[in-house]
Amino acid sequence: MSYSGVKLPEFDTLVARHTAAATQMQELAARLHAELAGAGLDTTPAERIRKLAAQVGQEAEDLRKRQSIVREMERHKIAFGASTAAGSFITVPDSLREAQGQLDGTLAAKAAKAAAAGDKNALKQLQAYAAKAQDSSFTKTFLRQLGAKGMTQVSAAIAAQLRADAAGGNAGASAKQAQEAMRLLATTLAKGTNPKDPAYMGDAFLDELVKHGRTEFKVDGTTYFGYQAQALIWRAGDGKPPFSEKFMQVVGRDAIVFEKEKFQDRWAASKDAIGSALGSRQVPMADLATVLGVARWMIPSTPSMGPAKQPVSQSPHRGGSAVIDDLFHAASSNAKSAQALLNHTPAGWKQSVLSYMLTDRLGAFHFHGNTDPFAEALRKATTGKDSVSLSLTTEALNTLKVHADKVFRPDDNDRLTIADRKLYDELSFLRRPVGSALASHIDQVYGTYITKSEGFDGLSKAELDRLLVLVSSDRDAAVELQAAEAARVVDRVNDHYPTSGDKGIKEQLIPEAKVFGHLVEARRLALLANAWDEEQTKKDVKDTLNSAFALFTSPIGGLGTKVAGELGGLVGGKGAEVAFDKLSAYIVNRMIQTSVTSGEALRTAADQNEMVDWLMQSAVISARIATGEWSEEAMRDAKGSTYVTDDQPPKLKPIHEIMADPKTFDDFMEWARRHSAIESTSNELANTVRTARDKTHDNLNITGY
C-alpha cells in the first residue's frame, strides 16, 4: 500500500481550484465547439478540450472524495499524519477504497472501545459497520486499533450489556445489534488470522490471542478467561469467510489444551466413588454468554438456558454452549480447519485430539446438549477423499469400536440387545457423521469385508459389523451408507460389463452382494435391538433401502450428479454419441427413479434381499442395453414392437425415443430382461445377501434370529 502526504489547508485550496478548472474547461470546450461548428470548421480541437475537461473533472471528483475522508478524519480527531515546521500533514492511502476502509475501520474500533466502556449507543454504531467487514483495509485497521486484548474485552462487554438489558426485560430489543456486532468481530477475526487473506495481521497477533485467551478478566463482577469471551466471536461466524487452518493450529489447539488443564481434575473427581454417587456430570468450560445467561439472545441457534439474571452454574437448566462447542462451530465450515484440530496430538498428550474428544471428553458434550458443532466438524474432517480424511476415519472407528463393544451384547435368547443404554445414548450424536465418513470411504468398507487388504487398518469384520449396527441406528446414516454401496455396484458393473459380459459379471457382483448384506442387516439389527417388532422392522428396512436408491438417483446423489450433464444430449437425440458408461448410468438412473417413485421396488420385493438383487439386475440390464449388441433371436423376438423399426431385420429405435413413451420403455425393459443372462444369477445374488446376514450374526455371536 502506498501513501500520499496531504498538507492542510493547502489541500483544500487545491481541491477548490481543480474543481473550478474542470468547470471552466467544460465551458470553454462548449463555446469553442459552437463557434467552430457555426463557421463550418473542424470541431476536433473542441473535442480534445472536452475530453481533457472530463479527465480533469474525474480527478477533481477523486480529490473531493479524498477531501471528504480527510475532513472526517479531522472531525473524529483521527491522525494518520504528523505536524512539522512546514505545517500539518495527513497521510492518505493512494487508493480511495483503502483510505475509506482505514477511516471506517478506525471509527468502528472507536465504537467498539466505547461499547466496551459501557456506552450503550456505541453498540448501534458498531452494528452499522457490519457490512464493511469483508474489506481488508477496514479489517486490518479495525484489528490494529483494538488488538487481541480489545477483541476479547469487546465481546465480553457486549455479553455483559445484554445481561443488563435482560435484567431490565429489554434483551430482545438489543439482541439484533449484539448479533450484528458479533458477526462483525467474527468476520474481521477470521480474515485477520488467515495467512492467505490480505488482511492477515501476522503470527504475533495469533500469539496475542493465545496469551489473552489464557488470561483472567472481569466484567460486571464476573471473572472469566479470555477464551470464554473469544469463543463468542468464533460462534458468531457464518463461515464466510471461514476460520483458517492456521487459526486452528495456533488458537484452536491451545484452547482445547487449556480447557483440559483447567478442568481435568474436576472431571476426574466426577468419576470417583463420591462423584458418581452424587450423579456428577462432566462440566465443560462454558462460554461467557452461557455464564452470563444470555446465550439465547446472543446466538439464536444455541439451545436456550435459564433466566438471564442467573448464572448457569446456579441454574437447574443446562442450555447454552461450551468454549469447545463454539470452537468446533468455527472449524466446521472448512474441512482443513476441522482436520487441523482433530488430526493433532498436543505436546505431552498420549492421544490425539480426536481420540480425546471421543473418550475422555465425550461426556462434556452432553452437559449443554450442544453436540451439533462437533458432529459437523467431524463430518467435514472425515468425508473427503484425501489421506487425512481416511486416517481420521480409521482412528475414529478404532476408538469407537471399544464403545460399541460395551453397548451391544447377546441377551439370554442370543438376540442382540443394548447392554449399556446410557453409553448408547451418549454416542447418538456421532452416528450420522460416522455414517457419512463410512459412506465416503465405502471402498474401505468393501476392503474390510472382502479383500482383507485396503480396508480400515486395525478393524476386523466383527468390529465393523458392530459399528455398523451402532451407526445404522440413525436412519439417515443407514440411507447414506446404502446409497454409497449402490454407487459401487453400478460403477463396478459399468467398469467390467464391456469385457466380462453377462457371464463374467456375476463374479463382480457377488462380493458387492456380501457387503450389501452386512449393511442392510446392520439396520435390521439396530431396530431389533431397540425392541422393534419383526413386522415394523421388515417394513423399515425395505423403506430404508428405497430411500437409499432415491438418494442415489437424486440430483445430489452419486448417480444423479453423474448423469445430469448427459440428459440434454439424450433428449436431443444424441444418445449414440454418449459413451457407454454414461449411457448405462443414464438408463439405470431412469429405471431406478421410475421404480422408486412409483413404489414398484418397495412393493414387489418380498424383502430387502430381493431389493438388492433388483438393483443389481437393473445395473446389468442397463449395461447390456448400453452395449447395443443383441442376438438374432432377440431381434426376431422384438419384431413388431414399438421400440424397434420396421426394417427387415428390425433395429432398435434411438434410446431417447424409447424412453419418451413410458409404455414403450416398459415393454423394452421387459424384452431386455428376457434376453439378459442376469436372470439366471438372480437367486445366487439374493442367497449371497442372506449368507452375509448370517455371517453378521456369527460375527456378533447371536443365533436367535
Side-chain angles (χ1 to χ4, degrees), residues 297-460:
W297 290 294
M298 204 161 193
I299 309 168
S301 61
T302 304
S304 180
M305 55 174 294
K309 301 177 184 178
Q310 190 175 23
V312 70
S313 59
Q314 300 174 14
S315 171
H317 303 284
R318 300 303 185 196
S321 188
V323 169
I324 302 306
D325 299 337
D326 299 342
L327 177 64
F328 278 112
H329 168 81
S332 66
S333 61
N334 182 275
K336 292 292 184 183
S337 297
Q339 290 176 349
L341 281 183
L342 297 173
N343 190 38
H344 172 65
T345 301
W349 285 28
K350 296 180 180 180
Q351 61 184 159
S352 71
V353 170
L354 173 59
S355 177
Y356 166 69
M357 294 294 165
L358 297 178
T359 54
D360 295 0
R361 200 190 178 278
L362 183 62
F365 285 113
H366 295 280
F367 186 81
H368 295 118
N370 191 18
T371 56
D372 287 349
F374 177 75
E376 180 58 18
L378 179 62
R379 190 191 68 81
K380 268 291 175 62
T382 56
T383 52
K385 297 301 182 182
D386 56 287
S387 58
V388 177
S389 292
L390 177 57
S391 176
L392 287 171
T393 298
T394 302
E395 182 181 359
L397 295 175
N398 278 286
T399 303
L400 291 173
K401 72 182 183 183
V402 180
H403 293 322
D405 187 54
K406 295 175 182 176
V407 167
F408 298 110
R409 284 282 188 274
D411 63 10
D412 294 339
N413 297 315
D414 285 330
R415 287 173 169 258
L416 196 67
T417 187
I418 298 175
D420 190 335
R421 173 63 66 172
K422 179 182 177 182
L423 180 57
Y424 176 82
D425 291 340
E426 201 170 57
L427 297 169
S428 62
F429 76 107
L430 299 172
R431 297 169 197 160
R432 184 67 194 277
V434 175
S436 295
L438 284 165
S440 180
H441 301 289
I442 194 67
D443 292 344
Q444 282 67 39
V445 173
Y446 176 91
T448 301
Y449 282 124
I450 306 300
T451 65
K452 299 182 181 179
S453 63
E454 300 179 350
F456 294 111
D457 290 340
L459 201 66
S460 70

Side-chain angles (χ1 to χ4, degrees), residues 396-590:
L397 295 175
N398 278 286
T399 303
L400 291 173
K401 72 182 183 183
V402 180
H403 293 322
D405 187 54
K406 295 175 182 176
V407 167
F408 298 110
R409 284 282 188 274
D411 63 10
D412 294 339
N413 297 315
D414 285 330
R415 287 173 169 258
L416 196 67
T417 187
I418 298 175
D420 190 335
R421 173 63 66 172
K422 179 182 177 182
L423 180 57
Y424 176 82
D425 291 340
E426 201 170 57
L427 297 169
S428 62
F429 76 107
L430 299 172
R431 297 169 197 160
R432 184 67 194 277
V434 175
S436 295
L438 284 165
S440 180
H441 301 289
I442 194 67
D443 292 344
Q444 282 67 39
V445 173
Y446 176 91
T448 301
Y449 282 124
I450 306 300
T451 65
K452 299 182 181 179
S453 63
E454 300 179 350
F456 294 111
D457 290 340
L459 201 66
S460 70
K461 297 176 184 179
E463 290 166 340
L464 182 54
D465 273 331
R466 192 170 281 106
L467 283 167
L468 283 174
V469 174
L470 177 66
V471 167
S472 296
S473 299
D474 183 288
R475 187 177 185 277
D476 290 337
V479 166
E480 191 173 356
L481 267 165
Q482 292 171 18
E485 177 55 22
R488 261 194 65 93
V489 168
V490 172
D491 285 345
R492 187 150 184 164
V493 169
N494 288 343
D495 287 344
H496 292 87
Y497 192 88
T499 55
S500 299
D502 284 335
K503 295 181 180 179
I505 203 66
K506 180 178 71 172
E507 283 67 33
Q508 303 298 329
L509 288 178
I510 285 178
E512 301 295 348
K514 290 179 181 177
V515 174
F516 243 128
H518 285 276
L519 293 179
V520 295
E521 185 61 12
R523 174 62 178 170
R524 177 173 172 270
L525 291 175
L527 298 177
L528 292 173
N530 276 282
W532 285 45
D533 64 40
E534 292 283 356
E535 197 59 35
Q536 285 178 306
T537 299
K538 180 179 179 179
K539 181 180 182 303
D540 181 276
V541 171
K542 288 177 62 179
D543 189 58
T544 297
L545 260 175
N546 206 61
S547 297
F549 296 158
L551 172 61
F552 176 42
T553 58
S554 73
I556 62 171
L559 190 57
T561 55
K562 181 178 294 186
V563 303
E566 302 300 325
L567 179 60
L570 289 167
V571 172
K574 301 177 182 178
E577 301 174 12
V578 180
F580 162 80
D581 60 332
K582 294 291 186 181
L583 182 56
S584 176
Y586 181 81
I587 296 169
V588 74
N589 187 71
R590 173 70 178 269

Side-chain angles (χ1 to χ4, degrees), residues 590 642-643 658-669:
R590 173 70 178 269
T642 56
Y643 48 83
I658 296 174
M659 288 183 166
D661 180 64
K663 178 66 167 60
T664 298
F665 182 65
D666 288 344
D667 292 343
F668 172 65
M669 292 306 301

